Amino acid sequence: MSTVKQGTPGSPFVSRAVERLFEGHATSDGAGVKLTRVLTRELQPRLDPFLMLDAFRNENPDDYMGGFPDHPHRGFETITYMLAGHMRHHDSAGNSGLLEAGGAQWMTAGRGLIHSELPEQQDGLMEGFQLWLNLPAKNKMIAPSYRDIPPEAIPEFVRNEVRVRVIAGVADGVVGAVTRPDTEPLFLDIHLPAGADFAQEIPSSHNAFLYVYRGVAKVGDQEISDRFMAILANDGDGVRIRAIAPTRLILVAGKPLHEPIVQHGPFVMNTAAEIEQALQDYRAGRFGQAFVARQP
Ligand code: MN
């Protein structure tokens, strides 16, 4: 059994328990991309500051080739983490980038942009996640920004045969590719051989969940199977995860904002009036010009 350092030397590490298990529901978005919506709107208050998690794992090109053509966002951040395949990004700020397996894209929509996310492959597996992270009210109208994080720019470490990729936050002293104020997101991709243990500290005030995408994990007495999300109770010093089989999962945690959430599709603000303003600004062209419209 592994332990991690605690404030009081020698005190045992107490793991959070699993509060609820969720199986995502199959849906489609963009131009017919099949995906599993894991974190749905009903869970936003419970998993504040996270607004959405989509998992996609498609072998059949018909299920992903449409991609996500030009669409707007305002008021939050999107984090796309690719496990397999290639996606091309373009946005109205003039940014372009290629997302590839093991890499991530961190986009801060802020006051708004229009972007597209389109497959850059004709066949083969397309797999990954898109996580939506809220912005605090004071930052919802900041200038949009965008960062491509290639696979080699995501720090990783191996401890007790467990491989951990630190996309955001800090794990075992390793600072992730991204750190953010206010919401202090933790986003880890964890690969465990059968029987291995991994423990991660998480402040009890932070909301946390994990999603298994290969194998079977166990937290306390609760088994979490492939394609299930476990919401972790806000107790304990963090979470201890044991792999029942060779297992891969993402662990996500963040500091809640405790602010009102009003969502209308790709706009997430604090009030209905701000949503109305977003719609007006979008219709008036104040989000900039879509990539396709800029082509000769
Ligand atoms: Mn988008």
Side-chain angles (χ1 to χ4, degrees), residues 14-20 45-49 202-209 231-238 253-256 258:
V14 177
S15 178
R16 291 180 179 219
V18 173
E19 179 179 296
R20 286 173 78 180
R46 176 62 188 91
L47 291 175
D48 178 9
I202 302 169
S204 60
S205 59
H206 290 202
N207 293 326
F209 64 93
I231 294 181
L232 301 174
N234 289 66
D235 57 10
D237 304 307
K255 183 180 176 183
H258 300 300

Side-chain angles (χ1 to χ4, degrees), residues 68 71-73 78 107 115 117 130 132:
F68 302 88
H71 58 279
H73 290 290
T78 68
M107 188 186 78
H115 78 157
E117 303 152 295
Q130 187 168 84
W132 288 13

Side-chain angles (χ1 to χ4, degrees), residues 8-224:
T8 309
S11 69
F13 177 88
V14 177
S15 178
R16 291 180 179 219
V18 173
E19 179 179 296
R20 286 173 78 180
L21 279 185
F22 282 87
E23 188 171 16
H25 73 267
T27 182
S28 70
D29 207 340
V33 178
K34 287 191 179 168
L35 52 83
T36 301
R37 186 139 298 162
V38 179
L39 196 172
T40 56
R41 205 178 285 205
E42 296 72 34
L43 293 174
Q44 287 174 346
R46 176 62 188 91
L47 291 175
D48 178 9
F50 300 102
L51 299 165
M52 193 186 82
L53 176 69
D54 283 345
F56 49 94
R57 189 197 296 184
N58 295 319
E59 294 270 6
N60 182 349
D62 294 343
D63 295 337
Y64 62 72
M65 280 311 292
F68 302 88
D70 284 315
H71 58 279
H73 290 290
R74 173 179 280 184
F76 61 100
E77 306 187 83
T78 68
I79 301 109
T80 309
Y81 180 54
M82 295 293 287
L83 297 170
H86 296 84
M87 292 259 271
R88 175 70 64 179
H89 162 99
H90 289 288
D91 70 37
S92 52
N95 298 305
S96 169
L98 182 66
L99 275 134
E100 53 186 330
Q105 180 210 73
W106 198 289
M107 188 186 78
T108 303
R111 65 175 170 257
L113 49 63
I114 299 170
H115 78 157
S116 59
E117 303 152 295
L118 298 171
E120 196 156 284
Q121 66 191 44
Q122 301 301 315
D123 51 34
L125 179 65
M126 175 77 75
E127 182 175 18
F129 301 98
Q130 187 168 84
L131 177 69
W132 288 13
L133 170 62
N134 210 353
L135 282 166
K138 65 179 181 182
N139 288 339
K140 281 186 176 288
M141 295 296 278
I142 59 175
S145 62
Y146 159 86
R147 204 180 132 200
D148 266 318
I149 307 165
E152 63 275 15
I154 296 180
E156 55 178 76
F157 63 90
V158 176
R159 186 172 70 203
N160 301 331
E161 298 181 75
V162 177
R163 178 171 167 236
V164 181
R165 309 193 75 229
V166 189
I167 299 145
V170 181
D172 203 19
V174 176
V175 178
V178 176
T179 56
R180 302 290 287 145
D182 304 304
T183 50
E184 300 175 21
L186 174 77
F187 186 166
L188 306 179
D189 179 18
I190 306 172
H191 305 186
L192 308 98
D197 259 350
F198 175 76
Q200 169 68 31
E201 290 183 45
I202 302 169
S204 60
S205 59
H206 290 202
N207 293 326
F209 64 93
L210 59 85
Y211 179 79
V212 174
Y213 67 91
R214 296 285 189 282
V216 187
K218 198 168 184 183
V219 173
D221 294 330
Q222 182 67 61
E223 285 193 4
I224 307 133

